[in-house]
């Protein structure tokens, strides 16, 4: 099947549905028309899943114009700090107009952004119109100077030394500013940056030195081909955010780096996270609140017809599975970490379920395969609901009322991926109608676990597989040495 670039990018980078993508395709099909009619540049940007950036999925340039965009920008990442209008419209669902915006490509434009919504009124993308500001302003020299509030080096004079004179703006900034020439040699840095470079490189004379020799960790920043990019770097326990901008003015090929040191901020964040007493208390409250909700539901379901009761039972089971996560965390000795052992969690959820299901004589077998899987509480909640839904389905749909059967749960893993398998030897899925349960599982697997959910064919019964990546939030510890650890 031929898919458009827009569709491919949306599938790869966003969590939009096919219907949403269809809607975007509709809008995209009219872009060229608008571009020609209004003599402006049109774009559609969509928010990337799992991070705070956006991506350009469609564009149209006016024909018969001196293009301010040399190359296509489709597929390019858009950062909030550079394109605030785009993110304003995204977050607020409102129109934004910015006069003389400087785009990520360093062009001066009047930019109008309107949100694109789907049938359910969700913002699924933004439509951007950019009209070039008259070239006269751009070529004006005074404009160019004002655009960059730093003092470039002249006649071998290095750095904005302000002794005796009034401080320039860049001297007062907390951010480090570093300007390098076409060969990546240092031609300017503000005082904080100078201090940083000297400290990190243990060199005093840094002027005109090659920056990637002084600070080798900046190499990926310079190797990156994009004109504008934001990097998160961790060096010597320092957390840095590096914004790189290639300045194309007068073809001098300079690169400006703006570096923020977030180390202290990150440390404070961590300290806050470690406030174990508070966390413990919150876990208690979450668990108690879940129990209150469950009791309220139980009260409400009394006297209802049987099929309504079944829906209530489904919901109650979901609540119990979430609450199991908190029970496990609270039972731990160390109060400050909220990691959850997934095998333990699976056992807890399943044993409660089979006990409650008095009708059937079903065996439930959990095989940890010799590994211990530890996840953050956030991922554990998703996994709890997923296990609950899939095992419930086996109990509910696979076996006859008085029938016997077997449900097996096991985990396999390699270096990068973890697989959760749930299979039964029941009747198998015959023309299933996707319903709330499978929808919940699919959404949690793709959105929260970043993984994939599917049923694999098998001769007897049903076999569901959830595959998701190993990450700092999902760790595997091999307890048995002979365990097959491929890779
Ligand atoms: N293990 C299973 N064995 C047989 N049929 C199943 C199994 N799991 C799911 N199904 C079928 O898939 C359908 C959709 O499941 P689901 O979305 O969880 O909805 P629900 O469980 O509320 O019916 C079920 O109604 C059932 O027909
Ligand atoms: Mg179900």
């Amino acid at each position: 099947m031929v898919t458009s670039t827009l569709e491919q990018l949306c599938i790869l980078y966003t969590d939009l549905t096919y219907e949403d993508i269809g809607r975007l395709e509709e809008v995209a099909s009219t872009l060229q028309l608008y571009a020609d009619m209004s003599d402006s540049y049109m774009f559609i940007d969509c928010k990337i899943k799992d991070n705070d950036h956006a991506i350009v999925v469609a564009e149209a340039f006016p024909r018969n114009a001196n293009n301010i965009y040399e190359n296509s920008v489709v597929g390019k990442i858009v950062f909030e700090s550079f394109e605030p209008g785009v993110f304003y419209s995204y977050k607020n669902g409102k129109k934004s107009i910015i006069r003389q915006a400087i785009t990520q490509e360093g062009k001066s434009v009047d930019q109008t952004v309107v949100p694109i919504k789907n049938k359910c009124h969700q913002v699924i993308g933004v439509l951007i119109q950019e009209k070039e500001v008259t070239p006269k302003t751009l070529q004006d020299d005074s404009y160019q100077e004002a655009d960059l509030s730093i003092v470039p080096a002249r006649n071998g004079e290095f750095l904005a030394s302000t002794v005796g004179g009034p401080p320039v703006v860049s001297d007062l900034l907390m951010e480090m500013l570093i300007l390098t020439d076409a060969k990546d040699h240092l031609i300017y840095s503000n005082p904080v940056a100078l201090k940083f470079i000297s400290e990190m490189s243990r060199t005093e004379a840094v002027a005109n030195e090659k920056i990637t020799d002084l600070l080798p960790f900046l190499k990926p920043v310079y190797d990156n081909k994009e004109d504008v990019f934001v990097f998160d770097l961790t060096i010597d326990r320092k957390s840095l955010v590096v914004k790189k901008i290639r300045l194309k003015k007068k073809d001098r090929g300079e690169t400006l780096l703006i570096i923020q040191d977030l180390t202290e901020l990150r440390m404070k964040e961590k300290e806050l996270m470690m406030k174990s007493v508070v966390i413990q208390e919150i876990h208690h409250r979450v668990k108690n609140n879940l129990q209150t909700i469950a009791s309220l539901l139980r009260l409400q379901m009394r006297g209802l017809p049987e099929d309504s009761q079944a829906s209530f039972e489904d919901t109650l089971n979901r609540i119990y599975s979430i609450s199991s996560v908190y029970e496990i965390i609270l039972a731990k000795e160390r109060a400050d970490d909220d990691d959850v052992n997934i095998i333990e969690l699976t056992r807890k959820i399943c044993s409660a379920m089979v006990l409650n299901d008095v009708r059937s004589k079903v065996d439930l077998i959990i095989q940890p395969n010799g590994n211990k899987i530890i996840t953050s509480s956030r991922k554990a909640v998703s996994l709890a609901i997923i296990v609950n839904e899939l095992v419930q389905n086996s109990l509910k749909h696979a076996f006859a009322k008085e029938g016997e059967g077997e449900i097996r749960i096991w985990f396999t893993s390699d270096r990068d991926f973890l697989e959760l398998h749930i299979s039964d030897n029941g009747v198998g899925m015959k023309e299933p109608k996707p319903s709330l349960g499978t929808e919940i599982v699919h959404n949690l697997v793709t959105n929260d676990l970043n993984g994939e959910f599917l049923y694999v064919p098998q001769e007897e019964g049903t076999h569901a597989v959830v595959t998701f990546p190993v990450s700092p939030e999902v760790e595997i510890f091999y307890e048995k040495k002979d365990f097959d650890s491929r890779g």
Side-chain angles (χ1 to χ4, degrees):
M1 195 178 68
V2 184
T3 52
S4 66
T5 315
L6 183 148
E7 188 177 341
Q8 283 171 2
L9 288 171
C10 286
I11 292 170
L12 212 60
Y13 289 102
T14 73
D15 42 26
L16 296 176
T17 63
Y18 279 99
E19 206 177 331
D20 292 342
I21 298 171
R23 166 94 183 103
L24 291 178
E25 297 264 24
E26 250 172 54
V27 179
S29 67
T30 61
L31 279 194
Q32 189 63 52
L33 213 60
Y34 284 122
D36 289 337
M37 188 174 75
S38 60
D39 243 344
S40 44
Y41 296 78
M42 306 292 302
F43 305 92
I44 297 176
D45 288 6
C46 291
K47 170 105 181 37
I48 297 180
K49 61 184 166 199
D50 302 328
N51 72 32
D52 291 332
H53 313 315
I55 184 164
V56 183
V57 297
E59 68 188 0
F61 299 168
R63 283 182 268 237
N64 311 323
N66 272 340
N67 272 345
I68 53 168
Y69 287 90
E70 282 162 23
N71 298 313
S72 166
V73 293
V74 169
K76 212 167 168 170
I77 311 243
V78 179
F79 300 101
E80 178 159 16
S81 36
F82 292 109
E83 306 254 341
V86 169
F87 290 83
Y88 173 84
S89 290
Y90 230 111
K91 288 177 187 159
N92 301 297
K94 291 181 188 148
K95 180 173 177 174
S96 102
I97 299 176
I98 300 186
R99 300 256 170 254
Q100 301 226 346
I102 304 291
T103 68
Q104 217 164 285
E105 288 72 26
K107 319 280 177 188
S108 179
V109 295
D110 282 348
Q111 187 187 58
T112 309
V113 186
V114 288
I116 305 171
K117 295 182 189 166
N118 65 8
K119 275 200 201 113
C120 309
H121 312 284
Q122 294 159 300
V123 179
I124 53 172
V126 290
L127 180 65
I128 302 157
Q129 182 195 42
E130 286 177 5
K131 222 174 159 66
E132 196 181 358
V133 176
T134 39
K136 204 165 148 268
T137 348
L138 262 176
Q139 274 153 17
D140 186 357
D141 256 4
S142 64
Y143 168 81
Q144 293 216 349
E145 289 290 334
D147 170 39
L148 250 187
S149 320
I150 55 170
V151 179
R154 282 190 196 100
N155 318 332
E157 182 188 287
F158 184 63
L159 306 174
S161 132
T162 55
V163 189
V168 292
V169 177
S170 53
D171 287 13
L172 304 174
L173 291 179
M174 297 284 286
E175 283 95 354
M176 301 173 232
L177 296 186
I178 295 175
L179 186 69
T180 53
D181 65 12
K183 291 192 172 135
D184 306 341
H185 292 261
L186 186 60
I187 47 179
Y188 168 78
S189 66
N190 66 345
V192 263
L194 181 61
K195 187 159 162 270
F196 175 77
I197 300 171
S198 308
E199 270 176 22
M200 296 299 280
S201 64
R202 300 202 174 84
T203 322
E204 283 297 319
V206 296
N208 296 318
E209 290 297 318
K210 194 168 170 142
I211 188 82
T212 44
D213 290 344
L214 290 168
L215 306 176
F217 59 81
L218 287 179
K219 226 177 145 348
V221 176
Y222 279 86
D223 288 346
N224 176 289
K225 295 212 163 37
E226 298 285 337
D227 289 337
V228 174
F229 214 82
V230 182
F231 299 81
D232 285 309
L233 298 179
T234 310
I235 289 98
D236 282 355
R237 302 220 187 102
K238 270 189 195 298
S239 299
L240 305 177
V241 176
V242 181
K243 290 183 192 162
K244 177 194 73 174
I245 304 160
R246 290 231 159 91
L247 308 171
K248 285 194 163 158
K249 300 213 170 81
K250 293 181 185 162
D251 296 324
R252 286 197 301 245
E254 291 164 354
T255 304
L256 174 68
L257 300 186
I258 305 169
I259 305 180
Q260 274 171 297
D261 186 349
L262 300 184
T263 317
E264 221 166 293
L265 197 73
R266 294 275 145 83
M267 295 246 289
K268 291 234 167 74
E269 275 172 9
K270 226 181 211 158
E271 255 169 51
L272 278 177
M273 294 291 294
M274 296 301 254
K275 295 272 181 273
S276 56
V277 186
V278 181
I279 293 185
Q280 186 87 343
E281 175 60 24
I282 290 172
H283 287 154
H284 262 296
R285 282 192 203 172
V286 172
K287 193 186 120 204
N288 290 346
N289 287 347
L290 287 170
Q291 267 163 6
T292 310
I293 296 170
S295 321
L296 288 173
L297 284 176
R298 282 227 171 274
L299 274 177
Q300 202 178 5
M301 65 193 267
R302 280 192 205 160
L304 286 179
E306 212 166 287
D307 53 341
S308 311
Q309 293 218 357
S311 304
F312 272 87
E313 281 292 347
D314 284 350
T315 306
L316 278 171
N317 280 323
R318 283 168 197 143
I319 296 171
Y320 286 139
S321 57
I322 300 174
S323 142
S324 310
V325 174
Y326 292 94
E327 277 169 29
I328 288 181
I329 295 173
L330 287 168
K332 287 205 302 193
E333 281 165 18
R334 279 187 53 207
D336 58 346
D337 95 54
D338 65 348
D339 292 346
V340 180
N341 181 335
I342 293 304
I343 312 280
E344 190 188 341
L345 177 68
T346 309
R347 280 213 182 93
K348 195 174 176 75
I349 294 170
C350 292
S351 54
M353 252 176 328
V354 180
L355 282 180
N356 284 338
D357 208 319
V358 281
R359 299 161 305 159
S360 55
K361 307 183 193 101
V362 174
D363 282 333
L364 206 138
I365 302 157
I366 299 170
Q367 298 166 307
N369 298 38
N371 45 23
K372 184 168 151 192
I373 302 156
I374 304 287
T375 75
S376 65
S377 57
R378 202 170 66 91
K379 301 260 180 202
V381 167
S382 301
L383 278 163
I385 300 173
I386 292 166
V387 168
N388 171 66
E389 290 303 323
L390 295 174
V391 177
Q392 284 291 351
N393 275 359
S394 291
L395 285 173
K396 216 161 79 181
H397 307 296
F399 307 113
K401 270 211 166 151
E402 292 299 324
E404 295 182 6
E406 193 177 273
I407 302 172
R408 260 175 208 280
I409 304 176
W410 71 99
F411 293 87
T412 62
S413 63
D414 61 19
R415 208 178 42 200
D416 303 320
F417 286 94
L418 191 69
E419 286 175 5
L420 157 65
H421 297 255
I422 296 180
S423 95
D424 62 57
N425 60 352
V427 293
M429 291 187 44
K430 293 184 199 101
E431 298 169 25
K433 310 175 285 319
S435 179
L436 182 62
T438 20
E439 201 51 34
I440 291 176
V441 174
H442 181 260
N443 278 334
L444 289 174
V445 173
T446 42
N447 299 335
D448 283 8
L449 299 182
N450 244 332
E452 198 186 357
F453 164 60
L454 42 87
Y455 286 102
V456 289
Q458 72 171 27
E459 265 167 34
E460 184 193 40
T462 309
H463 181 179
V465 186
V466 173
T467 311
F468 54 102
V470 174
S471 68
E473 273 187 273
V474 180
E475 288 184 287
I476 307 171
F477 300 90
Y478 297 106
E479 293 190 328
K480 248 188 1 213
K481 278 265 181 296
D482 57 348
F483 177 68
D484 164 29
S485 58
R486 284 161 280 158

